[in-house]
């Protein structure tokens, strides 16, 4: 059975845990270094990226997570998690875990009031998936070795080696395509 960690500082933690359980994998809440042991993959959920980044630094988890990702552990950042993984945040520098070769723009679709839900066709799944955007970032540039999995004018889901990022919240839908893709294809 695969064990998938969910960074548990804030955001859609419980929703990610439920999706992992639905797939028959074991969820592991991650709040401290010991929680990283034995993980097959790690999800960085949405929330407030600045706050999550501060917690990663204050708890010492930042360096441990970076080491594991460098060693090949699969990681998936949703919304704020995608910002944390970005090598370049437009007009702001880089994320706290800057390993994903993208340029991302915070709150690109507007405020909380501008949040929306949209069905987007995903060629890799050959199906439309429901996407929930809440104060979502926008990926404005990707490196050549970054695979774009889904687009809504600009990329909204990308994969680079062992790093998956989505600018939306798949944990807030009734579908499980993205969690299944992460557990079955990214986590090997």
């Amino acid at each position: 059975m695969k064990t998938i960690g969910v960074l548990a500082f804030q955001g859609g933690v419980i929703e990610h845990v439920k999706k992992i359980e639905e797939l028959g994998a074991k969820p592991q809440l991650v709040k401290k270094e010991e929680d990283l042991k034995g993980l097959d993959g790690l999800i960085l959920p949405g929330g407030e990226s600045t706050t999550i980044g501060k917690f990663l630094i204050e708890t010492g988890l930042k360096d441990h997570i970076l080491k594991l990702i460098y060693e090949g552990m699969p990681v998936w950042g949703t919304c704020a998690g995608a910002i944390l993984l970005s090598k370049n945040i437009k007009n702001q520098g880089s994320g706290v875990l800057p390993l994903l070769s993208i340029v991302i723009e915070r709150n690109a679709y507007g405020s909380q009031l501008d949040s929306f839900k949209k069905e987007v066709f995903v060629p890799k799944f050959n199906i439309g998936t429901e996407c929930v955007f809440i104060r979502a970032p926008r990926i404005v540039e990707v490196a050549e070795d970054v695979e774009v999995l889904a687009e809504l004018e600009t990329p909204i889901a990308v994969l680079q080696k062992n790093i998956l990022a989505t600018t939306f919240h798949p944990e807030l839908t009734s579908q499980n395509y993205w969690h299944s893709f992460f557990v079955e294809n990214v986590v090997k």
Side-chain angles (χ1 to χ4, degrees), residues 3-7 28 30 36 39-44 65 68-69 73-77 97 182 187:
T3 302
I4 307 298
V6 180
L7 189 66
Q28 169 68 46
V30 175
L36 293 169
L39 293 184
D40 295 300
L42 176 65
I43 297 174
L44 307 174
I65 291 172
L68 289 170
I69 298 170
M73 182 184 71
V75 64
W76 174 18
L97 304 167
F182 181 68
V187 177

Side-chain angles (χ1 to χ4, degrees), residues 97-136:
L97 304 167
L99 300 174
L100 182 59
S101 301
I102 63 172
V103 178
I104 202 161
E105 179 182 9
R106 291 178 191 266
N107 303 321
Y109 298 97
S111 71
Q112 189 89 12
L113 296 174
D114 299 307
S115 300
F116 64 98
K117 187 186 303 186
K118 180 126 177 123
E119 186 162 306
V120 177
F121 182 76
V122 181
K124 197 161 200 90
F125 304 161
N126 196 30
I127 197 162
T129 65
E130 194 175 43
C131 300
V132 177
F133 295 85
I134 302 171
R135 291 181 53 221

Side-chain angles (χ1 to χ4, degrees), residues 4-14 16-17 20 27-33 35-36 39 41-49 51-57 59-62 65 75-78 80-81 84 96-97:
I4 307 298
V6 180
L7 189 66
F9 294 141
Q10 65 170 212
V13 175
I14 298 304
H16 279 293
V17 165
I20 293 164
Q28 169 68 46
L29 298 180
V30 175
K31 293 183 179 180
K32 54 191 182 305
E33 179 186 354
D35 300 333
L36 293 169
L39 293 184
L42 176 65
I43 297 174
L44 307 174
E48 209 298 301
S49 59
T51 301
I52 297 170
K54 286 180 182 178
F55 284 144
L56 285 170
I57 293 166
T59 60
L61 277 175
K62 173 190 169 185
I65 291 172
V75 64
W76 174 18
T78 65
L84 293 169
V96 173
L97 304 167

